[in-house]
Amino acid sequence: MLSNRFTLFLSLLLLHLVISCRTEDGGRNIDGKYSLYTMNKDLGNTIITSNTVDNGNLTISKNGIDIPTQQFDRSIIVKDKHFYFLRAGKFRKYTLESNGLKEIAQLAMQDQHVENINWLDRDTLLLFTSDNKTNRRLWVYKITVNDFKINQQQEVKLPSASADFKILSVGFGTIHQQRLLIGYTFNKVINETDFTTIDTMYIATLDKTTLQLENIQKDTRSSYPGGVNTVQSYSFHDENGNFYFMSCPGIALGNSPSKPTAIFRIDSNSTHVTPTYFLNLTAKTHNHAYGMWYLGNNQAIVRSERKDRYTDFSDHHSTFQFEYYLIDLISQTTTKLNLPFDKGTRKESVLVENGKAYITIDDAKDQHQVWIYDIKSKNIQVGLTLDQATDFIVRIDRLH
């Protein structure tokens, strides 16, 4: 994983990476319904696909498709049998083959990195990027992924908040009430190994077609709305069209820990943050959290750290400390799920479908498993297991 906050932050801002793969056993499954991206004890990365995550055992050596750690990043976009990644000035489209990822298309995006994404439909991706030089300029791209064309490309100019806080971080971008809403904040570098976030969240409202800026909301109840969602999920729409997002001021993201981690809501008939809704997770769990996934029926899962189980950011990722909580968004109650402590600072570790939440956990017994939470019955059981060559399961995705 990552050794300090500065490295964690800039690794998402400076994605100058090249993908290459060595030839492996041609019998590896490349057509599985599910994709798991792993970091392994030999410092390698693999992608493993499987037709089920409800049961079974897979091994890195026999079932993994090798992706060298030094040349690939887990902030990958997975959709309908394809993988997408921005590197070396181009947004690239890949298919998975038995010997690695094969690039099949590319679009020029010079000197930029991904800040956030939003799928408007199965064929249309809204991509938010910033520049690698100033980390301050924001672009919005609308891309049709089937023919891989840019249909709209436009810079969105957001006013500076402070001369000290110059780095822009986008935590979410979504279409809501026929408007484009962008949640963001500003950061500053403290020294070579540290940074922090301004004490305010910002939500910009734009015309969804012209991207003309209409207004900016400010909220000081917390900071850092969301996060880079190619690494971890932080927001969703519910069945009634209400939009929820989580703030992440903890040391592993916003690094403004005096502010609480909280869930906010924008009602279905409004573009403004609901002033009377504030689900203070830190007050309920006494910790900060990173990651939120919607289960349906006003329930969500969040992934919370345990400050009594780690020393500082140096061991934040390697300590078995992360808990999963069931959140009732209406009653604003929290219930800890009966799961082992997980490790890994930020992971896309929850996949929700067919009435189940599949939760990947790397536990203190060196077990690397998919745990299955049945949403209706609330039963929990173990599903797919990976072998002990695995170190972290950093993401689980529906591949097709």
Side-chain angles (χ1 to χ4, degrees):
M1 297 290 284
L2 298 165
S3 59
N4 55 62
R5 284 188 292 266
F6 188 73
T7 303
L8 173 64
F9 183 69
L10 291 187
S11 69
L12 301 174
L13 296 182
L14 305 173
L15 300 179
H16 298 299
L17 302 171
V18 178
I19 293 177
S20 66
C21 306
R22 61 182 172 85
T23 300
E24 287 288 353
D25 180 4
R28 282 165 170 74
N29 183 12
I30 62 173
D31 296 319
K33 294 180 181 178
Y34 303 95
S35 167
L36 295 97
Y37 186 95
T38 69
M39 295 180 177
N40 307 320
K41 291 189 178 72
D42 66 359
L43 303 182
N45 288 357
T46 56
I47 292 174
I48 294 179
T49 76
S50 177
N51 286 322
T52 181
V53 288
D54 287 276
N55 53 62
N57 295 272
L58 295 174
T59 67
I60 297 301
S61 62
K62 294 181 179 179
N63 306 110
I65 297 173
D66 187 47
I67 310 290
T69 301
Q70 299 87 348
Q71 300 173 342
F72 195 68
D73 189 270
R74 45 101 179 249
S75 57
I76 193 170
I77 304 166
V78 185
K79 186 79 167 179
D80 291 338
K81 299 184 181 181
H82 292 97
F83 296 80
Y84 303 88
F85 194 66
L86 175 56
R87 66 172 181 87
K90 291 179 170 53
F91 186 59
R92 303 168 190 263
K93 181 179 181 179
Y94 302 87
T95 57
L96 186 65
E97 298 193 348
S98 59
N99 64 341
L101 288 166
K102 178 183 178 181
E103 183 177 328
I104 59 173
Q106 59 178 238
L107 297 168
M109 292 184 188
Q110 189 63 38
D111 196 36
Q112 296 184 58
H113 60 265
V114 174
E115 281 285 315
N116 225 268
I117 68 163
N118 186 271
W119 287 97
L120 301 182
D121 55 51
R122 290 185 66 172
D123 185 41
T124 309
L125 175 65
L126 206 59
L127 185 69
F128 302 84
T129 71
S130 184
D131 69 299
N132 294 329
K133 292 181 179 179
T134 70
N135 301 314
R136 176 63 185 83
R137 300 175 66 185
L138 176 66
W139 281 267
V140 179
Y141 293 84
K142 186 182 289 186
I143 300 168
T144 52
V145 295
N146 285 341
D147 56 10
F148 219 54
K149 291 175 56 178
I150 297 174
N151 293 332
Q152 186 175 9
Q153 173 184 344
Q154 188 169 329
E155 183 176 0
V156 173
K157 296 184 178 181
L158 299 171
S160 298
S162 166
D164 291 334
F165 292 83
K166 299 178 181 180
I167 299 171
L168 176 70
S169 292
V170 175
F172 67 80
T174 187
I175 302 297
H176 185 82
Q177 276 290 302
Q178 300 303 307
R179 294 292 186 271
L180 173 61
L181 304 184
I182 302 176
Y184 62 98
T185 192
F186 295 96
N187 310 281
K188 72 173 180 179
V189 175
I190 299 173
N191 53 49
E192 291 182 355
T193 60
D194 212 353
F195 77 99
T196 189
T197 301
I198 201 167
D199 63 355
T200 305
M201 301 187 312
Y202 302 85
I203 298 94
T205 304
L206 300 90
D207 183 281
K208 74 170 187 176
T209 302
T210 65
L211 301 186
Q212 180 178 349
L213 182 63
E214 297 181 350
N215 65 70
I216 296 175
Q217 305 167 60
K218 300 179 182 180
D219 200 313
T220 59
R221 292 176 290 177
S222 185
S223 184
Y224 212 110
V228 181
N229 66 345
T230 56
V231 175
Q232 192 172 49
S233 297
Y234 307 91
S235 62
F236 54 81
H237 277 93
D238 70 10
E239 301 92 334
N240 298 314
N242 303 305
F243 180 70
Y244 289 87
F245 66 90
M246 186 173 79
S247 63
C248 295
I251 68 167
L253 200 53
N255 194 30
S256 183
S258 63
K259 292 283 187 176
T261 296
I263 298 174
F264 296 79
R265 185 176 73 202
I266 300 176
D267 291 339
S268 61
N269 59 356
S270 173
T271 57
H272 285 77
V273 174
T274 306
T276 56
Y277 189 91
F278 183 69
L279 203 171
N280 188 330
L281 290 171
T282 299
K284 294 180 179 297
T285 66
H286 309 292
N287 288 283
H288 287 289
Y290 315 89
M292 179 175 68
W293 299 267
Y294 189 50
L295 304 182
N297 195 30
N298 301 308
Q299 296 183 86
I301 285 178
V302 300
R303 188 173 187 261
S304 177
E305 71 184 14
R306 278 279 297 270
K307 62 183 178 182
D308 60 324
R309 295 180 68 90
Y310 68 90
T311 305
D312 53 30
F313 196 75
S314 66
D315 66 345
H316 194 270
H317 70 285
S318 59
T319 301
F320 300 97
Q321 57 144 324
F322 289 96
E323 301 176 318
Y324 291 85
Y325 280 85
L326 179 67
I327 309 298
D328 188 306
L329 297 164
I330 303 302
S331 66
Q332 300 195 23
T333 54
T334 63
T335 305
K336 190 173 79 72
L337 295 179
N338 185 22
L339 292 166
F341 286 112
D342 193 13
K343 71 172 181 176
T345 291
R346 287 186 293 152
K347 306 193 293 189
E348 184 63 7
S349 56
V350 180
L351 174 67
V352 181
E353 66 173 17
N354 300 325
K356 298 177 182 178
Y358 296 96
I359 305 168
T360 61
I361 292 181
D362 306 293
D363 69 24
K365 295 180 180 179
D366 200 16
Q367 297 178 121
H368 309 276
Q369 298 169 309
V370 179
W371 288 75
I372 306 166
Y373 172 69
D374 188 285
I375 298 170
K376 184 176 181 179
S377 70
K378 302 188 183 304
N379 290 331
I380 299 175
Q381 63 184 39
V382 174
L384 178 67
T385 297
L386 302 186
D387 73 310
Q388 292 181 340
T390 310
D391 200 1
F392 300 89
I393 306 172
V394 293
R395 62 180 308 122
I396 179 172
D397 295 278
R398 177 80 186 203
L399 185 54
H400 65 88

